[in-house]
Amino acid sequence: MPQKVLLLVSVGSPPPTLLKELEEPLATHMGITAVPSKGALPRPDYAFNKDRSQYHCNAIMRRLVTLQEPGHSLVMGITDVDLFVPDSAFVFGEADRESHCAVVSTARLRAGADADQLRRRVQVEGVHQAGHLLGLSYCEDPRCVMFFAQMPVDCDRKQLGLCNICRNELAKLNR
């Protein structure tokens, strides 16, 4: 099976090194080649909801999906704005399997974090969203990267890798 290629796109002003720091964990834990985009998208003002003072994930992903290129089967935006979906107070990220697109935010992951902790949290959530793009669902194991994190400390507890059940599921999906 050919290896999947994920285009990483900066949206707004996340720390510039974060995209590069996602490459190794995505390759190691999900078997994805991650390629940073040559360009970046500006702050997604089109996605801002003034009633919530947050940015709607789906609007950002609709813009990201237009950046897919031949050879890049997946696209993931990394942003510094606070994200939401209608049924949640906030999300760290969101993935849409059909459009092969995801977005991850540093906004809530920064809480109480130094640079190393923020890097790891973004790696955990980036690998998590990539897992959804590959067909994985949430996991009940709080140490598995596919566990649904509701607070930054949940990200700190998670491993960068999959539990055995999710690893086996990914192997089945890749057949």
Side-chain angles (χ1 to χ4, degrees):
M1 176 170 214
Q3 186 163 24
K4 296 200 182 265
V5 178
L6 172 78
L7 183 66
L8 291 168
V9 181
S10 180
V11 180
S13 302
T17 58
L18 285 182
L19 272 67
K20 187 84 178 139
E21 291 169 340
L22 276 167
E23 292 176 26
E24 188 276 324
L26 288 167
T28 300
H29 301 290
M30 292 295 164
I32 294 174
T33 300
V35 178
S37 172
K38 291 176 179 51
L41 292 178
R43 183 178 202 81
D45 294 331
Y46 54 86
F48 187 71
N49 180 301
K50 65 180 191 275
D51 294 332
R52 294 180 67 133
S53 292
Q54 292 175 297
Y55 295 77
H56 197 289
C57 287
N58 294 347
I60 296 169
M61 289 191 299
R62 280 192 300 272
R63 190 71 51 102
L64 285 168
V65 81
T66 66
L67 302 176
Q68 287 176 332
E69 304 168 359
H72 299 121
S73 52
L74 308 167
V75 63
M76 181 183 295
I78 307 300
T79 188
D80 57 338
V81 300
D82 191 20
L83 300 175
F84 81 95
V85 293
D87 295 339
S88 297
F90 70 91
V91 291
F92 296 131
E94 183 77 0
D96 180 49
R97 291 178 190 160
E98 287 184 29
S99 67
H100 309 287
C101 186
V103 63
V104 173
S105 172
T106 63
R108 301 241 176 185
L109 296 174
R110 283 191 303 256
D114 62 22
D116 288 337
Q117 211 170 11
L118 176 61
R119 175 185 41 78
R120 187 178 183 287
R121 287 175 179 176
V122 171
Q123 287 174 336
V124 163
E125 283 308 300
V127 171
H128 175 92
Q129 297 306 330
H132 286 315
L133 291 176
L134 296 174
L136 293 176
S137 298
Y138 290 115
C139 180
E140 294 180 15
D141 182 345
R143 295 166 313 219
C144 179
V145 77
M146 293 311 298
F147 181 77
F148 177 64
Q150 297 180 52
M151 300 177 351
V153 295
D154 295 333
C155 298
D156 297 338
R157 181 179 43 248
K158 292 198 296 186
Q159 301 169 13
L160 267 171
L162 299 166
C163 68
N164 288 335
I165 293 168
C166 291
R167 192 174 5 268
N168 291 337
E169 183 65 24
L170 183 61
K172 279 192 245 177
L173 291 167
N174 284 332
R175 283 190 206 145

